[in-house]
Amino acid sequence: MSVPTDLPPPALQPGAASDSACRGWYEAHGRAVYGYLRFHLSSADEAEDLTADVRAEERFDPTRASARTWLLRIARNALLDHVRRERRRQQVPLGALRDLHSDAPSPEERVLWEEEVGRLLSAVAGLGGRDREIIGLRYGSGLDTREVAEILRVTEATARTRLWRALARLREVLRS
């Protein structure tokens, strides 16, 4: 998936989400949407399909959120709908992570990295849904806490506290 990240989102008036604006938003923020969805789904194909289903609607209001935050909120809702439809536990098998980027320069380091990622994802899978979601938004999509707060519709302080507590629970799972 080749998504340029240097394009700014088009400026729109509320209710004026045109096809070209939506395409611009996808080009600018598609990687973040895919990363968030890929973090939560067991296969790259599922994440790509769901990313393609994230559609901008006519209700965008730039006074309420940025285009990126708005699209990720739509992605979050699409993911929740998908999970409800599937009614299955979301676990990511280590073998399905081949599409994730690694800077490991050697095969040995790659194997060690995959083992660490597997251990981390297993630990994340052992957390509650709220913890998995906030960790996925922050680290799967690379959002800052302000953007996470906007998507979850909580204050930034609440988002930071929830993230801090989720990471503490994750550290505890990793220690055991």
Side-chain angles (χ1 to χ4, degrees):
M1 170 185 266
S2 175
V3 180
T5 58
D6 57 345
L7 299 174
L12 291 182
Q13 298 300 320
S18 68
D19 286 340
S20 64
C22 293
R23 192 174 12 255
W25 287 342
Y26 182 80
E27 289 171 357
H29 308 296
R31 185 170 301 280
V33 169
Y34 173 80
Y36 170 71
L37 295 170
R38 181 64 180 100
F39 183 85
H40 288 285
L41 296 170
S42 61
S43 78
D45 291 338
E46 275 185 311
E48 286 177 11
D49 290 346
L50 207 52
T51 299
D53 289 343
V54 172
R55 302 253 189 262
E57 300 172 13
E58 296 283 334
R59 297 183 304 229
F60 175 66
D61 182 354
T63 63
R64 294 185 55 173
S66 69
R68 176 181 168 138
T69 301
W70 183 62
L71 287 171
L72 282 161
R73 189 174 295 144
I74 293 170
R76 177 179 180 249
N77 290 336
L79 175 65
L80 292 173
D81 290 344
H82 175 77
V83 169
R84 282 186 205 113
R85 278 192 309 270
E86 296 296 319
R87 293 284 185 218
R88 63 181 174 167
R89 185 177 179 104
Q90 298 296 312
Q91 293 183 342
V92 181
L94 184 58
L97 295 177
R98 293 190 181 120
D99 67 314
L100 295 180
H101 178 68
S102 170
D103 291 328
S106 71
E108 293 82 15
E109 289 176 340
R110 174 73 181 187
V111 167
L112 293 174
W113 179 81
E114 287 178 353
E115 288 174 358
E116 187 65 24
V117 167
R119 183 172 171 258
L120 180 61
L121 289 176
S122 292
V124 169
L127 297 175
R130 284 178 58 167
D131 289 346
R132 284 192 315 269
E133 179 171 38
I134 199 159
I135 290 171
L137 285 169
R138 175 65 181 95
Y139 299 106
S141 291
L143 299 176
D144 61 32
T145 53
R146 180 188 53 78
E147 293 169 314
V148 170
E150 287 178 22
I151 290 170
L152 296 177
R153 294 186 175 146
V154 297
T155 65
E156 189 172 351
T158 299
R160 277 194 305 270
T161 300
R162 285 184 186 174
L163 181 61
W164 181 79
R165 289 177 179 164
L167 291 174
R169 284 187 281 272
L170 179 59
R171 279 190 291 277
E172 189 61 36
V173 170
L174 286 169
R175 277 190 213 121
S176 55

